[in-house]
Amino acid sequence: METLDTLPVEREDPFQPPAVLKELHGALHRMTYADGRPGWLVTGYAEARAVLDDPRFSNTSQGAAPPIKELAPPEGLTDLVVPPGFFLAMDDPEHSRYRRLLTGHFSMRKMRSLEPRIQEIIDGRLDEMARAEAPVDLVRAFALPVPSLVICELLGVPYGERARFQETTAQAVNLDNSIEQRGAAGAELMGYLSELVGRKRAEPGQDLLSELVTGGELDHEELTGVATLLLTAGHETTANMLGLGTFLLLCRPEQAELVRTDPGVAGTAVEELMRYLSIIHIGPIRVARSDVPLAGQTIKAGETVTISLPAVNRDPSRFPDPDRFDVTRDAGQQLGFSHGIHQCLGQQLARLEMRLAFPALLRRFPGLRLAVPAGEVPLRPRGTIYGVAALPATW
């Protein structure tokens, strides 16, 4: 069996998985992790779902080997510490305890109630773009502000304080920074949100964070951890999808035209963009609690398993002709939001934002196009979330 030296993350084409992944045969591969330990890489769709469904694989960072050197703990530490409330990196029962408190805030019913306000936010940003002088950076003008405004209103974070969290969040997920720099940025973000939790305790409002504060089930540190996770995930992931997705659509004008003119295409377009781009390109990562048979191999207890979503979402056994981008494709089973009990809590919010934002942008600016050659659009290949650093556009 071929053994990979490390997790491939560098993309030769901005819209294609790393070439090494495309050359692999089979669904499960031996991989040497950044600290020298042996582990596994999953590239098959069925195998990825099996791992994500199986409680024999732990979601905590305890014992996990780093798939790339940038994720290795600082010297002297064997594991990174998971802050209280940061349930993304927890197993049950702790995971379910936190998630239970939040599920109702991200239900389909709640999303339907938010739709008019989200559309209003999108239209407001488009109005500002129309008043601006082209070209503009679509990341700063549209892709980042829309989800930031939405999650700020939902959580009760003053949008006027966005400079305090947007830059620190960007620094925390930028793998070009040292782990110490990323840790310092994360600590600064948590410090801000700890202060905000204190303000909510003194003067609650009509928002999710205030409700959690007054509910009394979480202590101050837990509230800070939950707020940090929701604020970070709530704007970073969707902002990157809006930016990179728009870049792709501008490079595929026939597909952009379908999104612009056919109201029925928006939903399938979002799923196809999630599948085709797979911006979560490092993980999910799991650690086997016991020996687990998978794809004809045995994953030993304590071994780390990394799922490559860029490869999984291009598995031809699940998505025929996987390298073809087609906004009318039924890609509803793509794993961009993960799967199982750790499936993204805010997936319906992200879907709604994108389903409204892409058509609105393309309809408002039918002549929208790149202001630079596609090869000059700056990418973010070394982030924990893949995307564009800027998207110069004109109309």
Side-chain angles (χ1 to χ4, degrees):
M1 174 184 291
E2 178 186 4
T3 299
L4 293 167
D5 292 333
T6 186
L7 176 69
V9 294
E10 298 290 345
R11 305 192 187 199
E12 295 79 5
D13 180 309
F15 308 128
Q16 298 292 331
V20 173
L21 292 176
K22 295 172 72 68
E23 295 166 2
L24 292 174
H25 299 286
L28 183 65
H29 312 273
R30 268 293 184 186
M31 186 171 78
T32 300
Y33 279 70
D35 59 4
R37 283 186 281 171
W40 300 89
L41 177 68
V42 176
T43 58
Y45 181 87
E47 291 74 17
R49 283 177 64 102
V51 170
L52 294 171
D53 260 335
D54 196 330
R56 291 176 294 179
F57 290 100
S58 173
N59 190 48
T60 73
S61 63
Q62 300 302 308
I68 57 175
K69 61 181 176 57
E70 290 88 346
L71 293 179
E75 189 174 351
L77 293 179
T78 56
D79 286 305
L80 298 177
V81 177
V82 177
F86 208 86
F87 62 92
L88 180 67
M90 295 179 181
D91 292 326
D92 280 345
E94 291 85 358
H95 166 263
S96 290
R97 172 180 169 246
Y98 291 111
R99 191 160 178 133
R100 173 179 53 81
L101 297 174
L102 297 164
T103 299
H105 295 279
F106 295 93
S107 66
M108 288 298 297
R109 180 180 179 183
K110 177 68 174 179
M111 294 307 101
R112 284 193 291 269
S113 73
L114 292 176
E115 183 167 345
R117 177 54 184 149
I118 294 174
Q119 186 67 63
E120 186 179 354
I121 287 171
I122 290 168
D123 291 342
R125 296 309 306 179
L126 294 175
D127 288 344
E128 288 199 27
M129 276 182 58
R131 290 191 292 268
E133 183 177 345
V136 301
D137 174 8
L138 278 176
V139 171
R140 291 292 170 186
F142 187 71
L144 182 59
V146 167
S148 293
L149 276 161
V150 172
I151 198 64
C152 281
E153 289 197 9
L154 186 63
L155 290 178
V157 177
Y159 186 66
E161 298 176 7
R162 62 191 179 278
R164 295 187 63 182
F165 66 80
Q166 286 182 346
E167 180 58 29
T168 51
T169 300
Q171 293 302 315
V173 301
N174 184 355
L175 296 179
D176 282 330
N177 292 333
S178 69
I179 196 164
E180 291 80 12
Q181 289 172 316
R182 299 198 306 272
E188 183 178 343
L189 177 62
M190 292 192 72
Y192 163 67
L193 288 165
S194 176
E195 173 194 321
L196 182 62
V197 168
R199 281 190 263 160
K200 297 292 182 183
R201 197 178 301 280
E203 191 174 346
Q206 301 296 315
D207 55 72
L208 190 160
L209 192 51
S210 293
E211 185 171 321
L212 291 175
V213 168
T214 57
E217 294 192 53
L218 302 178
D219 63 26
H220 187 89
E221 287 189 336
E222 290 176 311
L223 287 163
T224 299
V226 168
T228 302
L229 174 59
L230 294 180
L231 182 60
T232 303
H235 80 274
E236 268 289 324
T237 50
T238 307
N240 277 279
M241 271 304 303
L242 287 174
L244 189 63
T246 300
F247 181 24
L248 175 58
L249 288 169
L250 294 183
C251 291
R252 305 285 195 277
E254 75 289 349
Q255 298 292 308
E257 184 65 15
L258 288 172
V259 176
R260 177 187 298 113
T261 59
D262 187 345
V265 162
T268 58
V270 167
E271 301 304 317
E272 176 69 343
L273 285 162
M274 289 289 299
R275 181 196 74 84
Y276 197 79
L277 297 174
S278 295
I279 62 170
I280 306 299
H281 64 148
I282 304 172
I285 300 169
R286 299 290 189 264
V287 178
R289 302 173 188 262
S290 59
D291 291 0
V292 182
L294 184 70
Q297 304 292 328
T298 298
I299 298 174
K300 299 292 187 182
E303 288 187 321
T304 301
V305 177
T306 296
I307 296 169
S308 172
L309 293 183
V312 166
N313 278 334
R314 299 289 183 99
D315 185 342
S317 70
R318 179 60 188 84
F319 303 103
D321 195 8
D323 293 332
R324 178 174 56 88
F325 175 60
D326 179 3
V327 295
T328 67
R329 180 199 297 266
D330 178 9
Q333 296 299 309
Q334 54 81 22
L335 297 184
F337 291 113
S338 193
H339 174 70
I341 65 170
H342 293 285
Q343 194 169 33
C344 175
L345 176 68
Q347 62 178 303
Q348 300 307 336
L349 176 60
R351 283 187 168 102
L352 176 58
E353 290 173 313
M354 290 187 283
R355 180 171 59 80
L356 296 175
F358 284 121
L361 173 65
L362 295 171
R363 285 196 297 266
R364 184 67 175 272
F365 299 98
L368 191 68
R369 61 192 184 276
L370 295 176
V372 298
E376 294 181 12
V377 172
L379 302 171
R380 296 175 57 187
R382 303 302 299 175
T384 55
I385 304 169
Y386 178 68
V388 291
L391 189 61
T394 190
W395 50 87

